[in-house]
mmCIF file of all heavy atoms in Angstrom:
data_model
loop_
_atom_site.group_PDB
_atom_site.id
_atom_site.type_symbol
_atom_site.label_atom_id
_atom_site.label_comp_id
_atom_site.label_asym_id
_atom_site.label_seq_id
_atom_site.Cartn_x
_atom_site.Cartn_y
_atom_site.Cartn_z
ATOM 1 N N LEU A 34 -84.605 -15.205 -17.900
ATOM 2 C CA LEU A 34 -84.452 -15.978 -19.126
ATOM 3 C C LEU A 34 -85.750 -16.725 -19.371
ATOM 4 O O LEU A 34 -86.282 -17.390 -18.466
ATOM 5 C CB LEU A 34 -83.289 -16.954 -19.021
ATOM 6 C CG LEU A 34 -82.994 -17.775 -20.293
ATOM 7 C CD1 LEU A 34 -81.499 -18.027 -20.436
ATOM 8 C CD2 LEU A 34 -83.733 -19.120 -20.286
ATOM 9 N N ARG A 35 -86.282 -16.593 -20.593
ATOM 10 C CA ARG A 35 -87.493 -17.303 -20.988
ATOM 11 C C ARG A 35 -87.193 -18.203 -22.179
ATOM 12 O O ARG A 35 -86.495 -17.798 -23.105
ATOM 13 C CB ARG A 35 -88.613 -16.320 -21.336
ATOM 14 C CG ARG A 35 -89.101 -15.512 -20.140
ATOM 15 C CD ARG A 35 -90.152 -14.481 -20.526
ATOM 16 N NE ARG A 35 -90.547 -13.704 -19.374
ATOM 17 C CZ ARG A 35 -91.519 -14.039 -18.525
ATOM 18 N NH1 ARG A 35 -92.192 -15.148 -18.727
ATOM 19 N NH2 ARG A 35 -91.800 -13.274 -17.492
ATOM 20 N N ARG A 36 -87.707 -19.408 -22.105
ATOM 21 C CA ARG A 36 -87.604 -20.333 -23.231
ATOM 22 C C ARG A 36 -89.010 -20.697 -23.663
ATOM 23 O O ARG A 36 -89.811 -21.168 -22.858
ATOM 24 C CB ARG A 36 -86.825 -21.599 -22.830
ATOM 25 C CG ARG A 36 -86.524 -22.496 -24.021
ATOM 26 C CD ARG A 36 -85.557 -23.606 -23.692
ATOM 27 N NE ARG A 36 -86.184 -24.691 -22.964
ATOM 28 C CZ ARG A 36 -85.846 -25.093 -21.764
ATOM 29 N NH1 ARG A 36 -84.861 -24.488 -21.128
ATOM 30 N NH2 ARG A 36 -86.471 -26.090 -21.182
ATOM 31 N N ALA A 37 -89.301 -20.444 -24.943
ATOM 32 C CA ALA A 37 -90.656 -20.642 -25.462
ATOM 33 C C ALA A 37 -91.671 -19.887 -24.611
ATOM 34 O O ALA A 37 -92.731 -20.416 -24.261
ATOM 35 C CB ALA A 37 -90.986 -22.131 -25.520
ATOM 36 N N SER A 38 -91.286 -18.663 -24.225
ATOM 37 C CA SER A 38 -92.128 -17.743 -23.443
ATOM 38 C C SER A 38 -92.308 -18.162 -21.993
ATOM 39 O O SER A 38 -93.005 -17.482 -21.238
ATOM 40 C CB SER A 38 -93.513 -17.568 -24.094
ATOM 41 O OG SER A 38 -93.370 -17.039 -25.396
ATOM 42 N N GLN A 39 -91.685 -19.262 -21.553
ATOM 43 C CA GLN A 39 -91.804 -19.714 -20.176
ATOM 44 C C GLN A 39 -90.594 -19.251 -19.366
ATOM 45 O O GLN A 39 -89.448 -19.428 -19.793
ATOM 46 C CB GLN A 39 -91.898 -21.244 -20.105
ATOM 47 C CG GLN A 39 -93.144 -21.812 -20.777
ATOM 48 C CD GLN A 39 -94.415 -21.358 -20.093
ATOM 49 O OE1 GLN A 39 -94.539 -21.421 -18.876
ATOM 50 N NE2 GLN A 39 -95.378 -20.896 -20.897
ATOM 51 N N LEU A 40 -90.866 -18.638 -18.183
ATOM 52 C CA LEU A 40 -89.781 -18.156 -17.334
ATOM 53 C C LEU A 40 -89.017 -19.336 -16.755
ATOM 54 O O LEU A 40 -89.608 -20.260 -16.192
ATOM 55 C CB LEU A 40 -90.358 -17.298 -16.202
ATOM 56 C CG LEU A 40 -89.335 -16.650 -15.256
ATOM 57 C CD1 LEU A 40 -88.475 -15.646 -16.003
ATOM 58 C CD2 LEU A 40 -90.066 -15.972 -14.093
ATOM 59 N N CYS A 41 -87.688 -19.316 -16.878
ATOM 60 C CA CYS A 41 -86.832 -20.382 -16.350
ATOM 61 C C CYS A 41 -86.024 -19.834 -15.177
ATOM 62 O O CYS A 41 -85.435 -18.753 -15.272
ATOM 63 C CB CYS A 41 -85.888 -20.915 -17.424
ATOM 64 S SG CYS A 41 -86.713 -21.580 -18.883
ATOM 65 N N GLN A 42 -85.968 -20.583 -14.083
ATOM 66 C CA GLN A 42 -85.195 -20.166 -12.923
ATOM 67 C C GLN A 42 -83.724 -20.510 -13.147
ATOM 68 O O GLN A 42 -83.387 -21.588 -13.619
ATOM 69 C CB GLN A 42 -85.705 -20.870 -11.662
ATOM 70 C CG GLN A 42 -87.159 -20.552 -11.326
ATOM 71 C CD GLN A 42 -87.381 -19.084 -11.025
ATOM 72 O OE1 GLN A 42 -86.512 -18.433 -10.448
ATOM 73 N NE2 GLN A 42 -88.527 -18.564 -11.406
ATOM 74 N N ALA A 43 -82.844 -19.568 -12.767
ATOM 75 C CA ALA A 43 -81.409 -19.782 -12.970
ATOM 76 C C ALA A 43 -80.639 -19.311 -11.750
ATOM 77 O O ALA A 43 -80.950 -18.270 -11.175
ATOM 78 C CB ALA A 43 -80.921 -19.018 -14.208
ATOM 79 N N GLU A 44 -79.646 -20.101 -11.335
ATOM 80 C CA GLU A 44 -78.736 -19.647 -10.294
ATOM 81 C C GLU A 44 -77.984 -18.415 -10.812
ATOM 82 O O GLU A 44 -77.645 -18.337 -12.010
ATOM 83 C CB GLU A 44 -77.721 -20.744 -9.958
ATOM 84 C CG GLU A 44 -78.325 -21.952 -9.270
ATOM 85 C CD GLU A 44 -78.615 -21.701 -7.807
ATOM 86 O OE1 GLU A 44 -78.047 -20.741 -7.254
ATOM 87 O OE2 GLU A 44 -79.412 -22.455 -7.225
ATOM 88 N N PRO A 45 -77.715 -17.430 -9.948
ATOM 89 C CA PRO A 45 -77.052 -16.205 -10.409
ATOM 90 C C PRO A 45 -75.763 -16.452 -11.183
ATOM 91 O O PRO A 45 -75.535 -15.841 -12.227
ATOM 92 C CB PRO A 45 -76.792 -15.441 -9.107
ATOM 93 C CG PRO A 45 -77.879 -15.884 -8.196
ATOM 94 C CD PRO A 45 -78.111 -17.330 -8.522
ATOM 95 N N LYS A 46 -74.911 -17.362 -10.691
ATOM 96 C CA LYS A 46 -73.637 -17.596 -11.377
ATOM 97 C C LYS A 46 -73.841 -18.291 -12.720
ATOM 98 O O LYS A 46 -73.080 -18.078 -13.657
ATOM 99 C CB LYS A 46 -72.692 -18.421 -10.488
ATOM 100 C CG LYS A 46 -71.935 -17.580 -9.473
ATOM 101 C CD LYS A 46 -71.091 -16.512 -10.145
ATOM 102 C CE LYS A 46 -70.406 -15.620 -9.136
ATOM 103 N NZ LYS A 46 -69.776 -14.443 -9.783
ATOM 104 N N VAL A 47 -74.857 -19.130 -12.813
ATOM 105 C CA VAL A 47 -75.148 -19.786 -14.088
ATOM 106 C C VAL A 47 -75.621 -18.748 -15.099
ATOM 107 O O VAL A 47 -75.211 -18.765 -16.263
ATOM 108 C CB VAL A 47 -76.199 -20.898 -13.892
ATOM 109 C CG1 VAL A 47 -76.600 -21.496 -15.230
ATOM 110 C CG2 VAL A 47 -75.661 -21.972 -12.967
ATOM 111 N N PHE A 48 -76.469 -17.830 -14.636
ATOM 112 C CA PHE A 48 -76.918 -16.744 -15.511
ATOM 113 C C PHE A 48 -75.727 -15.906 -15.955
ATOM 114 O O PHE A 48 -75.599 -15.561 -17.135
ATOM 115 C CB PHE A 48 -77.936 -15.874 -14.756
ATOM 116 C CG PHE A 48 -78.631 -14.857 -15.620
ATOM 117 C CD1 PHE A 48 -79.866 -15.133 -16.191
ATOM 118 C CD2 PHE A 48 -78.055 -13.620 -15.877
ATOM 119 C CE1 PHE A 48 -80.519 -14.205 -16.986
ATOM 120 C CE2 PHE A 48 -78.687 -12.682 -16.675
ATOM 121 C CZ PHE A 48 -79.925 -12.975 -17.228
ATOM 122 N N ASP A 49 -74.833 -15.563 -15.001
ATOM 123 C CA ASP A 49 -73.642 -14.774 -15.340
ATOM 124 C C ASP A 49 -72.769 -15.492 -16.367
ATOM 125 O O ASP A 49 -72.249 -14.876 -17.305
ATOM 126 C CB ASP A 49 -72.818 -14.490 -14.076
ATOM 127 C CG ASP A 49 -73.527 -13.549 -13.113
ATOM 128 O OD1 ASP A 49 -74.502 -12.909 -13.525
ATOM 129 O OD2 ASP A 49 -73.107 -13.475 -11.950
ATOM 130 N N LEU A 50 -72.602 -16.800 -16.173
ATOM 131 C CA LEU A 50 -71.768 -17.591 -17.084
ATOM 132 C C LEU A 50 -72.361 -17.585 -18.490
ATOM 133 O O LEU A 50 -71.645 -17.337 -19.473
ATOM 134 C CB LEU A 50 -71.650 -19.024 -16.554
ATOM 135 C CG LEU A 50 -70.992 -20.038 -17.492
ATOM 136 C CD1 LEU A 50 -69.541 -19.678 -17.748
ATOM 137 C CD2 LEU A 50 -71.097 -21.448 -16.905
ATOM 138 N N LEU A 51 -73.651 -17.842 -18.589
ATOM 139 C CA LEU A 51 -74.301 -17.867 -19.898
ATOM 140 C C LEU A 51 -74.194 -16.507 -20.567
ATOM 141 O O LEU A 51 -73.866 -16.414 -21.763
ATOM 142 C CB LEU A 51 -75.771 -18.269 -19.738
ATOM 143 C CG LEU A 51 -76.617 -18.292 -21.019
ATOM 144 C CD1 LEU A 51 -76.047 -19.287 -22.020
ATOM 145 C CD2 LEU A 51 -78.069 -18.631 -20.683
ATOM 146 N N LEU A 52 -74.454 -15.453 -19.817
ATOM 147 C CA LEU A 52 -74.396 -14.112 -20.382
ATOM 148 C C LEU A 52 -72.981 -13.775 -20.856
ATOM 149 O O LEU A 52 -72.794 -13.177 -21.935
ATOM 150 C CB LEU A 52 -74.855 -13.095 -19.331
ATOM 151 C CG LEU A 52 -75.177 -11.689 -19.836
ATOM 152 C CD1 LEU A 52 -76.276 -11.734 -20.891
ATOM 153 C CD2 LEU A 52 -75.584 -10.794 -18.675
ATOM 154 N N PHE A 53 -71.975 -14.172 -20.080
ATOM 155 C CA PHE A 53 -70.587 -13.914 -20.467
ATOM 156 C C PHE A 53 -70.246 -14.626 -21.779
ATOM 157 O O PHE A 53 -69.638 -14.036 -22.682
ATOM 158 C CB PHE A 53 -69.644 -14.375 -19.355
ATOM 159 C CG PHE A 53 -68.189 -14.256 -19.710
ATOM 160 C CD1 PHE A 53 -67.530 -13.035 -19.652
ATOM 161 C CD2 PHE A 53 -67.471 -15.372 -20.114
ATOM 162 C CE1 PHE A 53 -66.186 -12.926 -20.000
ATOM 163 C CE2 PHE A 53 -66.130 -15.281 -20.458
ATOM 164 C CZ PHE A 53 -65.490 -14.040 -20.402
ATOM 165 N N LEU A 54 -70.630 -15.886 -21.896
ATOM 166 C CA LEU A 54 -70.328 -16.638 -23.120
ATOM 167 C C LEU A 54 -71.041 -16.040 -24.326
ATOM 168 O O LEU A 54 -70.478 -15.966 -25.421
ATOM 169 C CB LEU A 54 -70.735 -18.103 -22.946
ATOM 170 C CG LEU A 54 -69.895 -18.927 -21.958
ATOM 171 C CD1 LEU A 54 -70.489 -20.309 -21.776
ATOM 172 C CD2 LEU A 54 -68.442 -19.031 -22.419
ATOM 173 N N ILE A 55 -72.289 -15.596 -24.119
ATOM 174 C CA ILE A 55 -73.031 -14.981 -25.223
ATOM 175 C C ILE A 55 -72.364 -13.678 -25.657
ATOM 176 O O ILE A 55 -72.202 -13.403 -26.862
ATOM 177 C CB ILE A 55 -74.496 -14.726 -24.814
ATOM 178 C CG1 ILE A 55 -75.227 -16.061 -24.652
ATOM 179 C CG2 ILE A 55 -75.214 -13.854 -25.833
ATOM 180 C CD1 ILE A 55 -76.617 -15.929 -24.076
ATOM 181 N N GLN A 56 -71.984 -12.861 -24.683
ATOM 182 C CA GLN A 56 -71.370 -11.574 -24.999
ATOM 183 C C GLN A 56 -70.015 -11.740 -25.675
ATOM 184 O O GLN A 56 -69.546 -10.831 -26.364
ATOM 185 C CB GLN A 56 -71.240 -10.734 -23.729
ATOM 186 C CG GLN A 56 -72.586 -10.262 -23.183
ATOM 187 C CD GLN A 56 -72.466 -9.590 -21.837
ATOM 188 O OE1 GLN A 56 -71.574 -9.897 -21.055
ATOM 189 N NE2 GLN A 56 -73.361 -8.662 -21.555
#
Side-chain angles (χ1 to χ4, degrees):
L34 183 146
R35 294 176 182 272
R36 188 170 77 241
S38 300
Q39 296 296 312
L40 183 64
C41 301
Q42 299 297 325
E44 292 283 342
K46 277 301 176 190
V47 175
F48 189 95
D49 292 345
L50 171 64
L51 178 61
L52 194 59
F53 175 79
L54 291 174
I55 291 172
Q56 291 173 331

